[in-house]
Amino acid sequence: MLLLGCIKEVSDYELVISLPNGLLGFVPVTQISDAYSKLLSQQVAQGQLPEGLNSLPDMYSPGTLVRCIVTSVEKSDDGRRSIKLSIDPRKVNKGLNASALATGMLLSGSVSSVEDHGYLIDIGVSGTHAFLPHEKAKNYIKALKRGPDLKIGQNLTCVIVEVKNEGRVVRLSIDRSEVAASLATEKQNWALSNLLPGLVMKARVQKVTPFGMKLTFLSCFTGIVDFMHMDPEKSTNYSPDQVVKACVLSVHPGSKAVRLTLRPAFLHPGGSPNQLCSDRLGAVVEESTVKAFYKQFGALFELDDGTLAFARLKHLSKNRKSFKPGAFKAGCKHKCRIIDYSLMDEMCIVSLKYQVIEAQFLQYQDIHTGDVVQGKVLSLKPIGMQVKVADGIRGLVPSIHLADVILKQPEKKYNLGDEVKCRVLECNPAGKKLILTLKKSLIQSKLPVLTNYEDAKPGLITHGFVVCAREFGCIVKFYNDVKGLVPRNELSTEPISCPDKVFYEGQVVKVMVLKCEPQQERLLLSFRLSSKSGPEDKRECTSKEKQEVKYQVGEIVDVKVLKKKDNGLEVSILEDEDTVAWIPIQHLSDFVTTSKLLWHCLQEGDVLPKVMCLSDKGEHIILSRKSAVISAVQEEQVVRSFSEIQPGMLLTGYVRNVMSFGVFVEFPFGVTGLAPKVSMSDKFVTDTKDHFVVGQTVIAKVMSTDEEKQRVLLNLKVSECSSGDSAAESFALLNQYFKELKEIRDLLKRGESSVAQGLCELVPGKELQLVVQDVREDGSALFSASCVTGLTVTATRYHVGEKNIVPGKKMKALVLHVDAPTSEVYVSLREELLKQRPKQVRVQFLDPCVS
């Protein structure tokens, strides 16, 4: 099939061609011309650039009309069709022969040779030599502004000005005025077998329909003009037998179908169609008016600036089921987004889909270096991962950027279709080149993004990644291919004799700029951040940077409560009251219930001694009062990095998350691990939430590690996590529990309310004289007395026992449990407990888990 197309984009390896009806085609660099292909083959064979070979961007510009032939239609993995084209005259003009050539004919040709007096042009006709004199090319060359000569492989629209020796020799012209004035006539003896796109001729209207028109031309040909290619100024004024000027858009020799256009831009050969203003692409139009609806194709709209736009059926609604034809009657208003512009239809392509209108990216130009983007894994190859960022936008994650560490088997970490968060390292819209990283250190970095040498001011601290480590130092790369050198003496405060053994390719590092020469693209860097900070730098440090060096994980501080919040305490560190920190509720104690009691009893202004810094991320300092965790850090029973973890280790940590498949445990210094469901308990686990809660202190045994995925598998079974002297461990834990209960009692005693004082007096095991207040349907009972004023005293059905109780009856009861936060007291009336109760019980507010 032959088509008239317009060059939309040019790269080193292909031309992107806009085709009629909003389609796109691609011309590979090997389908330009026979002479150009020979030069390419010569370059491959010799390994050097041969004389006369120019790149496609040096010869072709967007907006140029070209004649194409479809060579294949390929289907991609995602189901999309890709139209492959050729502009080689030997394929486009294959229907022509020497005897058919006539003066005035318009056809395509390609420069095959540069001669002294002109150019030899390949017009694809066997046995014919076509020559283009300099005088017939100079005006075109001058207007083109691409040098003094035409180039081998350059595609031209030529008109035949002379035919000799029965078509064996022809003389051509590419003069703009001669080409523009050419018309195809009956005298040129065009046939369906050699009819070419781009021919302009006079035609007669045969029939007008709602979808277009039927025309006759060159005496014996019939062609169709669809609604998109009628002249917008005259679309309602066509009538049968009217004579119009038309241009051939496409020819399908098999079906003998000829498509025509009446749009003015195509009625003068050698011209260019109108282009869309660049800032309109991607624009959202709040109100576009329906001009016409075509149930088999889509809808025609008028935008807010009066221009026409077209939306295909699939872009009118989310899916076929939600599509309502009644919403597209003429005059209806809709919100849409301009997603493309069809040069061959001179019309915007729009979408009414909500997800398209709200999409962050539509084209490569929308993406900026340093942006954090979501993508979907398309493929995994040795060079890296291909990621789909949006429809028509794909990026590459190089293999060294698949993780913070180098992955030997990335297919174990990533699956096709996985959603991934990436950061843009480099984006080149012209070449549709998008380089991404999956390194969390870069994605989560809050430091400035270095994208050019001009921004590399001395003193700037930023993140980069090592691309080379040699005896002279390290080369560190940033965004947009900006790179610099860290000399060996700037690698560390201590001498490093072999940098290649300390640093590795892909390693994320924090560096400081020492010196930059933007003109020469030279950048001198240092890893010695603290030693280079002068007095001025220190004055300019933010509070976040100060805190980063002031409080280390494991450091013990005293704090004062500033504010109580639902999920923890906001505190100030006494030695520096300007520094605000946070203690989550679950980190007030090793015991979950005690943590809640402490939070309930503490007041603003209270001082908490010996609290440990658990995490310091500048603005967010996290503290912990968990005694077991503090002891583990002080006794060095911790790991500071993944590399220190060894199978068999017993580590103290706390539950970070409880999932259906297991429990995630976090340890001091940020290392985390997973205890699968089968390794959570010595008992059979049905529901993980029945066994552990978030914040619970645990001792975990390391079962295995996966260095590549940075994963740790743990065991939480009591039988596996004992260090040997389990009795001593249990007593130490119980002792700490009683100590914290005494602390809570002391906090309650200071309260002025009678309820608080009453709670202090009530201890498990104490005998009370109570009056039955109410007997519930479930058999439980409520009690009252002067000693429990303001408290809710309850005995369950079991603890009422066999006794016959009625409201108002006086009873003896034994205190079982006191819940201070809810002011509830649980008692028992059972005789066996009243008679055999221990005499010296001193436990109060007992945690149900311990009891």
Side-chain angles (χ1 to χ4, degrees):
M1 184 176 183
L2 292 168
L3 296 156
L4 184 65
C6 183
I7 298 176
K8 186 174 183 179
E9 297 172 16
V10 184
S11 68
D12 288 333
Y13 302 106
E14 69 178 7
L15 304 176
V16 181
I17 309 295
S18 171
L19 300 174
N21 301 112
L23 297 175
L24 284 180
F26 303 89
V27 179
V29 69
T30 54
Q31 292 294 332
I32 302 299
S33 73
D34 186 59
Y36 193 75
S37 295
K38 287 179 179 177
L39 288 176
L40 291 175
S41 299
Q42 190 178 334
Q43 181 187 15
V44 172
Q46 297 178 354
Q48 60 184 15
L49 194 68
E51 186 179 351
L53 180 62
N54 291 276
S55 68
L56 295 184
D58 288 337
M59 298 189 293
Y60 293 94
S61 303
T64 305
L65 291 173
V66 290
R67 292 166 181 79
C68 323
I69 186 169
V70 177
T71 57
S72 66
V73 179
E74 300 173 1
K75 196 171 183 179
S76 61
D77 295 336
D78 57 2
R80 298 191 174 200
R81 296 182 184 277
S82 177
I83 303 172
K84 300 297 182 184
L85 306 169
S86 175
I87 59 171
D88 187 342
R90 299 195 177 200
K91 294 180 180 179
V92 174
N93 298 336
K94 65 180 180 181
L96 290 171
N97 54 52
S99 60
L101 299 178
T103 302
M105 271 188 169
L106 194 72
L107 71 168
S108 293
S110 179
V111 178
S112 61
S113 174
V114 180
E115 306 296 330
D116 291 338
H117 302 289
Y119 307 89
L120 289 179
I121 305 297
D122 180 5
I123 59 171
V125 179
S126 180
T128 297
H129 295 277
F131 184 71
L132 172 64
H134 277 305
E135 62 189 52
K136 292 292 185 180
K138 60 183 181 181
N139 289 339
Y140 177 87
I141 294 172
K142 185 177 179 181
L144 203 61
K145 297 179 182 178
R146 284 186 175 271
D149 288 306
L150 298 175
K151 300 172 177 65
I152 295 174
Q154 200 163 339
N155 193 275
L156 305 169
T157 298
C158 314
V159 62
I160 298 176
V161 295
E162 186 180 7
V163 179
K164 295 181 179 180
N165 300 332
E166 297 179 343
R168 289 193 290 274
V169 177
V170 296
R171 194 160 62 92
L172 307 173
S173 173
I174 58 171
D175 186 87
R176 287 181 176 269
S177 58
E178 291 185 46
V179 170
S182 65
L183 279 177
T185 63
E186 291 87 344
K187 292 181 180 180
Q188 294 169 0
N189 295 321
W190 291 101
L192 188 61
S193 59
N194 60 25
L195 194 65
L196 293 173
L199 293 180
V200 178
M201 76 292 291
K202 288 183 179 180
R204 186 178 298 275
V205 178
Q206 189 179 42
K207 185 179 179 181
V208 180
T209 71
F211 301 106
M213 293 190 299
K214 190 175 183 180
L215 306 179
T216 59
F217 62 96
L218 298 179
S219 300
C220 58
F221 295 105
T222 301
I224 300 296
V225 180
D226 65 36
F227 62 91
M228 296 179 74
H229 280 275
M230 296 165 70
D231 186 344
E233 301 294 328
K234 305 175 184 176
S235 58
T236 59
N237 299 323
Y238 293 110
S239 58
D241 288 329
Q242 182 180 348
V243 176
V244 294
K245 206 173 179 183
C247 174
V248 178
L249 272 184
S250 65
V251 181
H252 197 300
S255 63
K256 299 183 179 180
V258 180
R259 297 276 175 176
L260 306 170
T261 180
L262 304 184
R263 286 186 165 271
F266 301 99
L267 302 183
H268 300 283
S272 295
N274 296 316
Q275 299 201 32
L276 180 71
C277 182
S278 59
D279 61 353
R280 288 288 284 170
L281 193 60
V284 175
V285 181
E286 293 296 332
E287 282 193 351
S288 57
T289 308
V290 178
K291 297 287 288 182
F293 174 67
Y294 306 94
K295 63 180 181 180
Q296 293 181 333
F297 309 107
L300 196 63
F301 294 87
E302 183 178 335
L303 303 183
D304 50 7
D305 60 355
T307 58
L308 293 179
F310 183 74
R312 298 185 182 91
L313 277 177
K314 68 177 182 178
H315 278 284
L316 291 179
S317 62
K318 186 176 181 180
N319 50 52
R320 289 185 179 182
K321 290 183 179 179
S322 62
F323 177 62
K324 297 177 181 178
F328 296 96
K329 293 178 181 178
C332 291
K333 306 281 187 181
H334 290 278
K335 185 178 180 179
C336 65
R337 188 172 188 179
I338 301 173
I339 59 174
D340 201 358
Y341 181 75
S342 174
L343 288 165
M344 283 305 296
D345 303 313
E346 294 186 305
M347 194 175 290
C348 295
I349 307 298
V350 298
S351 176
L352 279 64
K353 286 186 173 182
Y354 173 80
Q355 62 265 40
V356 174
I357 294 173
E358 297 298 322
Q360 185 180 3
F361 307 115
L362 279 183
Q363 52 183 344
Y364 285 89
Q365 286 84 346
D366 298 333
I367 300 177
H368 303 98
T369 302
D371 283 349
V372 175
V373 300
Q374 289 288 134
K376 184 179 289 187
V377 178
L378 289 180
S379 63
L380 282 165
K381 298 179 180 179
I383 62 168
M385 176 195 294
Q386 191 177 31
V387 174
K388 177 184 177 182
V389 177
D391 285 340
I393 302 179
R394 297 185 179 188
L396 175 70
V397 181
S399 56
I400 67 166
H401 280 280
L402 292 174
D404 278 320
V405 296
I406 304 301
L407 300 183
K408 294 179 181 178
Q409 294 178 300
E411 63 276 4
K412 289 187 176 181
K413 182 178 178 69
Y414 300 105
N415 298 309
L416 300 187
D418 283 354
E419 293 284 342
V420 290
K421 183 189 282 188
C422 319
R423 195 162 198 175
V424 179
L425 288 175
E426 185 180 347
C427 183
N428 178 9
K432 293 188 176 181
K433 179 183 178 184
L434 182 62
I435 307 298
L436 307 167
T437 181
L438 285 169
K439 291 182 180 291
K440 286 187 178 179
S441 305
L442 292 177
I443 295 170
Q444 297 173 356
S445 173
K446 302 299 181 184
L447 295 176
V449 174
L450 188 57
T451 60
N452 58 71
Y453 289 94
E454 286 72 20
D455 291 343
K457 306 298 182 186
L460 175 75
I461 295 177
T462 186
H463 278 121
F465 53 95
V466 176
V467 292
C468 176
R470 297 288 186 271
E471 66 279 356
F472 55 79
C474 288
I475 295 175
V476 177
K477 201 170 183 180
F478 304 96
Y479 298 81
N480 279 347
D481 207 32
V482 174
K483 45 185 174 283
L485 171 67
V486 183
R488 194 160 74 174
N489 63 324
E490 294 292 343
L491 294 175
S492 173
T493 52
E494 301 296 325
I496 295 179
S497 57
C498 299
D500 57 320
K501 293 184 178 179
V502 178
F503 304 98
Y504 60 88
E505 185 184 11
Q507 182 179 351
V508 177
V509 289
K510 189 187 286 187
V511 298
M512 183 170 68
V513 176
L514 297 180
K515 183 181 178 183
C516 182
E517 299 175 8
Q519 299 292 335
Q520 289 76 33
E521 295 189 347
R522 291 178 184 170
L523 188 57
L524 190 64
L525 308 166
S526 175
F527 290 160
R528 299 165 59 182
L529 307 183
S530 57
S531 62
K532 297 294 175 182
S533 298
E536 292 183 8
D537 296 329
K538 290 180 181 177
R539 281 199 299 270
E540 293 176 1
C541 279
T542 62
S543 60
K544 176 181 175 180
E545 288 166 338
K546 290 178 183 177
Q547 290 172 5
E548 282 179 353
V549 297
K550 193 165 187 179
Y551 297 102
Q552 304 294 330
V553 175
E555 190 171 345
I556 303 298
V557 295
D558 297 337
V559 299
K560 181 171 72 175
V561 178
L562 295 178
K563 189 183 293 185
K564 288 177 69 175
K565 296 186 177 180
D566 291 342
N567 55 343
L569 302 175
E570 190 177 287
V571 299
S572 64
I573 297 175
L574 289 183
E575 66 181 38
D576 181 6
E577 293 199 6
D578 291 333
T579 303
V580 177
W582 178 253
I583 307 179
I585 285 183
Q586 57 265 37
H587 276 279
L588 286 171
S589 169
D590 283 314
F591 311 98
V592 177
T593 307
T594 309
S595 296
K596 295 176 182 177
L597 280 170
L598 276 168
W599 179 89
H600 178 80
C601 297
L602 286 167
Q603 299 174 7
E604 292 179 7
D606 285 347
V607 173
L608 295 175
K610 297 181 180 179
V611 182
M612 186 184 77
C613 179
L614 187 67
S615 168
D616 185 354
K617 297 181 180 177
E619 295 174 355
H620 303 287
I621 301 176
I622 309 297
L623 305 176
S624 178
R625 284 188 84 239
K626 287 181 177 289
S627 178
V629 175
I630 294 172
S631 296
V633 174
Q634 290 178 334
E635 295 170 11
E636 290 294 323
Q637 300 295 316
V638 291
V639 289
R640 285 175 164 77
S641 66
F642 183 88
S643 59
E644 296 180 14
I645 302 175
Q646 298 293 330
M649 279 184 167
L650 288 176
L651 301 172
T652 303
Y654 46 90
V655 175
R656 180 176 177 178
N657 206 353
V658 180
M659 308 297 288
S660 59
F661 53 83
V663 171
F664 285 98
V665 178
E666 185 169 352
F667 305 102
F669 299 96
V671 177
T672 59
L674 171 67
K677 196 172 180 179
V678 295
S679 302
M680 282 175 52
S681 173
D682 290 304
K683 300 177 181 178
F684 180 74
V685 177
T686 303
D687 188 345
T688 54
K689 292 181 180 178
D690 292 340
H691 293 261
F692 291 95
V693 295
V694 173
Q696 184 175 340
T697 304
V698 294
I699 296 175
K701 184 176 183 179
V702 179
M703 301 303 294
S704 65
T705 61
D706 187 332
E707 187 175 352
E708 190 170 289
K709 294 184 179 180
Q710 297 277 291
R711 290 180 182 172
V712 183
L713 283 182
L714 305 171
N715 193 324
L716 295 178
K717 292 180 179 179
V718 174
S719 59
E720 295 285 342
C721 298
S722 174
S723 60
D725 193 354
S726 57
E729 288 177 355
S730 299
F731 279 116
L733 196 62
L734 199 58
N735 184 54
Q736 178 62 29
Y737 180 74
F738 292 150
K739 184 179 177 182
E740 290 181 6
L741 288 179
K742 183 178 182 305
E743 180 184 9
I744 293 169
R745 185 182 182 189
D746 292 340
L747 289 170
L748 278 173
K749 278 183 178 179
R750 69 183 180 178
E752 296 179 0
S753 70
S754 59
V755 174
Q757 295 295 333
L759 284 170
C760 292
E761 297 300 324
L762 294 175
V763 296
K766 183 174 183 178
E767 188 177 291
L768 302 174
Q769 288 290 336
L770 303 175
V771 177
V772 179
Q773 186 178 356
D774 187 24
V775 180
R776 295 169 174 166
E777 291 182 3
D778 62 0
S780 62
L782 290 177
F783 301 89
S784 62
S786 58
C787 61
V788 291
T789 303
L791 303 177
T792 302
V793 183
T794 307
T796 63
R797 181 179 179 178
Y798 172 79
H799 282 287
V800 169
E802 303 280 331
K803 294 192 177 181
N804 181 26
I805 58 173
V806 293
K809 187 175 182 179
K810 293 183 178 181
M811 307 289 298
K812 282 185 180 181
L814 188 75
V815 177
L816 294 176
H817 174 60
V818 179
D819 191 340
T822 60
S823 298
E824 292 182 352
V825 180
Y826 295 90
V827 298
S828 178
L829 308 183
R830 297 184 73 91
E831 287 294 334
E832 62 267 31
L833 291 177
L834 287 167
K835 289 178 180 178
Q836 300 179 13
R837 70 182 192 277
K839 297 290 184 182
Q840 298 182 351
V841 174
R842 291 289 182 266
V843 180
Q844 54 213 333
F845 316 123
L846 208 71
D847 191 326
C849 296
V850 176
S851 62

